[in-house]
Amino acid sequence: MKAVVQRVTRASVTVGGEQISAIGRGICVLLGISLEDTQKELEHMVRKILNLRVFEDESGKHWSKSVMDKQYEVLCISQFTLQCVLKGNKPDFHLAMPTEQAESFYNSFLEQLRKTYRPELIKDGKFGTYMQVHIQNDGPVTIELESPAPGAATSDPKQLSKLEKQQQRKEKTRAKGPSESSKERNTPRKEDRSASSGAEGDVSSEREP
């Protein structure tokens, strides 16, 4: 799933010359749904969008507040063209989820947004319809988001740092070479002439490795 999030002072959607949706200050989200997207990707994207810090705080510090923190509005537009793959100069959209399936998925996305945030502040366009989207970008500020591909390595910085540290420990262990216990196992032992059995080469008194 891909999303283009724009910080706006206002945005609106027009269909057939009639304005069907509009917001004031907030974010406009263009959403591209792929064939492989599941509920997991949907929930990930909702969290990212609503918690994305693109607004300033009361003291004027930039990148400090999310749309939820500021209680601003959200305008969502379904845009399958974000799943474009170029074949030469021609756009190809075979990675986009088919229309019938995508409409249900998109409605679930909107429902999750409204469940997580304030329903009255979530607006959208008209799925599968030719629209004119009017966006007054504030800044301009435009952020691209993409949900992790199924089975892909995590993109969370904290988790990546943890994985890197684990890898470094493994490398240090390998660099030290064989452990002392393995060295003992590989070192030929002298015959113990005082062994109770008196048999040459008897190692019955040795500890198990």
Side-chain angles (χ1 to χ4, degrees):
M1 187 181 296
K2 296 180 179 180
V4 173
V5 181
Q6 298 184 65
R7 188 179 71 186
V8 301
T9 50
R10 63 173 178 261
S12 61
V13 181
T14 300
V15 175
E18 179 185 353
Q19 181 175 292
I20 64 168
S21 192
I23 64 169
R25 193 152 190 214
I27 56 175
C28 181
V29 180
L30 306 177
L31 188 75
I33 304 169
S34 81
L35 276 169
E36 298 183 342
D37 286 332
T38 66
Q39 184 67 21
K40 182 179 178 181
E41 283 73 49
L42 184 154
E43 292 174 358
H44 171 89
M45 191 60 76
V46 167
R47 286 195 304 272
K48 283 294 184 182
I49 289 170
L50 293 179
N51 290 287
L52 186 64
R53 296 186 296 179
V54 292
F55 299 99
E56 59 186 31
D57 63 13
E58 294 72 17
S59 65
K61 184 179 179 182
H62 296 292
W63 320 113
S64 300
K65 297 292 183 179
S66 68
V67 70
M68 287 201 301
D69 294 330
K70 303 292 283 187
Q71 295 292 292
Y72 288 157
E73 295 177 287
V74 179
L75 175 62
C76 288
I77 309 293
S78 176
Q79 188 168 3
F80 71 90
T81 57
L82 286 176
Q83 295 294 339
C84 166
V85 175
L86 288 179
K87 290 189 174 180
N89 293 319
K90 182 181 178 181
D92 180 272
F93 307 107
H94 72 276
L95 294 179
M97 187 177 285
T99 304
E100 299 76 13
Q101 185 182 352
E103 183 172 10
S104 174
F105 194 92
Y106 178 66
N107 288 334
S108 295
F109 174 82
L110 291 174
E111 183 180 344
Q112 186 70 25
L113 276 175
R114 290 175 176 132
K115 187 185 298 183
T116 308
Y117 191 28
R118 292 171 55 188
E120 69 275 14
L121 297 181
I122 305 296
K123 309 292 179 63
D124 71 299
K126 192 171 182 180
F127 186 91
T129 303
Y130 186 87
M131 296 174 279
Q132 289 184 316
V133 183
H134 305 271
I135 300 171
Q136 186 166 301
N137 196 315
D138 179 33
V141 173
T142 301
I143 308 292
E144 293 180 286
L145 300 176
E146 186 168 358
S147 59
T154 179
S155 59
D156 179 49
K158 291 183 179 178
Q159 187 65 17
L160 282 173
S161 177
K162 184 178 179 181
L163 291 173
E164 287 171 357
K165 287 179 180 178
Q166 289 175 348
Q167 184 62 28
Q168 288 172 359
R169 283 197 295 269
K170 288 180 182 178
E171 290 174 356
K172 286 181 180 178
T173 301
R174 286 197 294 266
K176 287 180 181 179
S179 64
E180 291 301 319
S181 59
S182 63
K183 286 180 180 178
E184 285 183 14
R185 287 197 296 270
N186 296 329
T187 303
R189 292 181 177 275
K190 294 182 180 181
E191 296 175 0
D192 187 358
R193 298 289 181 179
S194 61
S196 58
S197 64
E200 187 175 347
D202 188 337
V203 290
S204 59
S205 62
E206 292 178 8
R207 290 186 300 171
E208 287 294 326

